[in-house]
Amino acid sequence: MWAEVGAGVLMLVVGVRLLYRWQSGVCNSKASLEGKTVIITGASAGIGKEAAKDLVSRGARVIMACRNIDKAERAAAEVRASARGRGEAVVRHLDTSNLSSVRRFAEKILKEEDKLHILINNAGIVGPPTREMTEEGLELTMATNHYGHFLLTNLLLGLIKKSAPSRIVNLTSDSHDYVNKLNPDCLNFEHDYYSSMTAYGQSKLCNILFSLELTHKLEGTGVTANSVHPGCVCTEIFYKGKVTWFLWVCGKLFFVMGKDAKLGAQTIVHAAVSEELEGVSARYLVDCKEAKTTDLARSKKLARQLWEASEVDVKLQQEEKHY
């Protein structure tokens, strides 16, 4: 009896895995990126590394912006090997949870690079089980997933505009579906309930709203901003920091039934290179096509309020504004 039950469960799991992967989108664009410069944050593993492999193989110079330099150098060696002599992969240090690190990274980029065609804001964490604050007074999940990328994009926006047509790709998640409110005056959970998944979902909603307001501010510049949900992907994001039982279970389920990192990176690549997205902005992309999102994620008023609050929280200076 138990053998039959086990066999049935195994068949169900395999069936779900095969169906999910069969339905997953694949980027079919053959676009060349010769002469193009790309930055990918969090590119030392998972979908960030797989996106780097694809874009370097198209001839791009890809700057892998990562917190762990040793790990990133090993990943860059994999990227170079897979590209077989095409493109270039270089590593630069960046910790998106630390605004000082973001400013140092941007300063270095602006000194060394004369163009930037694609910025992929990929780095992210689920967050600790209890609320933790950075040395700059920001909640850790929001700092890593939203504030760091908000500041980075603003600091590099002048270079991105100069390199137009160019693209900004913000990684998000369908976890934003479960967020039913966003208080721009309480983005760091000073008074609101905190849990790791609450913070994660809020940060992913912020990523979409960021793309929405970027689109408004960059209208007519030749720069687009879109949001990407990569799907249920088995990556190390579930095992970073303090791992709760919930994250452990999610990680195992995604390993068994979800996408691998290469398949998970497909919509990132699609957003970065697809010809059909030329001039297209403020889209929420899932499986290489536009998908519906929540009313909250489409609120232009909330997007503007989030931008204004974020400027204050990261202490964006006048000379750092390029919109």
Side-chain angles (χ1 to χ4, degrees):
M1 174 185 172
W2 290 112
E4 293 174 350
V5 171
V9 171
L10 179 60
M11 289 179 63
L12 176 62
V13 168
V14 171
V16 171
R17 178 189 178 99
L18 291 175
L19 179 62
Y20 184 58
R21 293 193 175 198
W22 177 71
Q23 292 178 331
S24 298
V26 175
C27 179
N28 294 313
S29 172
K30 304 299 182 184
S32 169
L33 292 181
E34 293 286 347
K36 304 294 185 182
T37 300
V38 181
I39 290 176
I40 308 176
T41 68
S44 63
I47 57 178
K49 182 174 73 174
E50 292 301 326
K53 286 182 180 179
D54 185 291
L55 301 183
V56 170
S57 71
R58 294 171 186 266
R61 169 179 165 82
V62 174
I63 300 168
M64 302 168 67
C66 306
R67 185 170 55 87
N68 186 325
I69 291 295
D70 291 339
K71 182 180 178 182
E73 289 289 2
R74 292 193 295 271
E78 286 184 48
V79 170
R80 295 181 194 112
S82 68
R84 299 180 179 180
R86 295 202 70 191
E88 182 182 4
V90 297
V91 172
R92 297 289 182 267
H93 179 264
L94 172 65
D95 180 353
T96 58
S97 73
N98 185 300
L99 300 184
S100 296
S101 174
V102 174
R103 285 186 163 93
R104 287 193 298 271
F105 171 81
E107 182 180 12
K108 187 175 183 66
I109 291 298
L110 293 175
K111 285 181 179 178
E112 295 180 348
E113 307 295 331
D114 60 0
K115 54 191 175 183
L116 177 56
H117 302 95
I118 304 169
L119 171 61
I120 300 175
N121 291 320
N122 167 72
I125 60 171
V126 174
T130 56
R131 181 172 173 260
E132 291 184 17
M133 305 300 288
T134 68
E135 61 185 31
E136 290 147 324
L138 303 173
E139 189 276 317
L140 181 61
T141 315
M142 284 292 292
T144 306
N145 298 358
H146 169 63
Y147 286 118
H149 289 127
F150 174 85
L151 177 60
L152 176 65
T153 304
N154 271 282
L155 294 175
L156 298 179
L157 209 49
L159 182 59
I160 295 171
K161 288 167 68 175
K162 188 179 78 170
S163 307
S166 44
R167 303 184 185 193
I168 299 168
V169 180
N170 292 317
L171 268 289
T172 184
S173 164
D174 63 356
S175 295
H176 81 276
D177 290 347
Y178 305 104
V179 181
N180 54 30
K181 70 169 185 174
L182 179 68
N183 183 355
D185 296 322
C186 191
L187 293 173
N188 293 288
F189 301 93
E190 295 91 341
H191 309 294
D192 291 344
Y193 169 77
Y194 173 91
S195 73
S196 61
M197 292 310 297
T198 301
Y200 182 71
Q202 176 177 288
S203 71
K204 297 292 102 179
L205 172 62
C206 289
N207 297 150
I208 300 176
L209 292 171
F210 179 39
S211 296
L212 187 60
E213 184 63 12
L214 265 174
T215 296
H216 170 68
K217 292 188 180 316
L218 296 174
E219 187 174 0
T221 65
V223 182
T224 60
N226 291 296
S227 303
V228 166
H229 167 45
C232 299
V233 188
C234 177
T235 69
E236 64 179 33
I237 191 171
F238 296 105
Y239 307 108
K240 290 181 179 179
K242 300 174 183 176
V243 181
T244 64
W245 67 268
F246 177 76
L247 291 179
W248 186 87
V249 170
C250 285
K252 297 307 179 185
L253 285 174
F254 281 24
F255 173 75
V256 172
M257 295 188 287
K259 303 177 183 180
D260 60 18
K262 184 175 182 179
L263 195 54
Q266 292 300 302
T267 308
I268 300 175
V269 176
H270 174 74
V273 307
S274 178
E275 296 87 346
E276 67 187 66
L277 288 176
E278 186 174 344
V280 176
S281 199
R283 299 296 193 271
Y284 173 58
L285 303 171
V286 183
D287 286 324
C288 299
K289 57 182 180 292
E290 186 177 355
K292 291 183 179 179
T293 186
T294 63
D295 291 340
L296 212 57
R298 294 194 299 269
S299 171
K300 294 181 179 180
K301 178 181 179 181
L302 191 58
R304 184 181 69 254
Q305 291 173 333
L306 172 66
W307 184 288
E308 292 170 353
S310 299
E311 280 195 356
V312 173
D313 289 348
V314 304
K315 298 180 174 59
L316 193 69
Q317 303 301 304
Q318 190 61 43
E319 63 272 17
E320 296 175 332
K321 299 178 181 180
H322 301 283
Y323 54 84

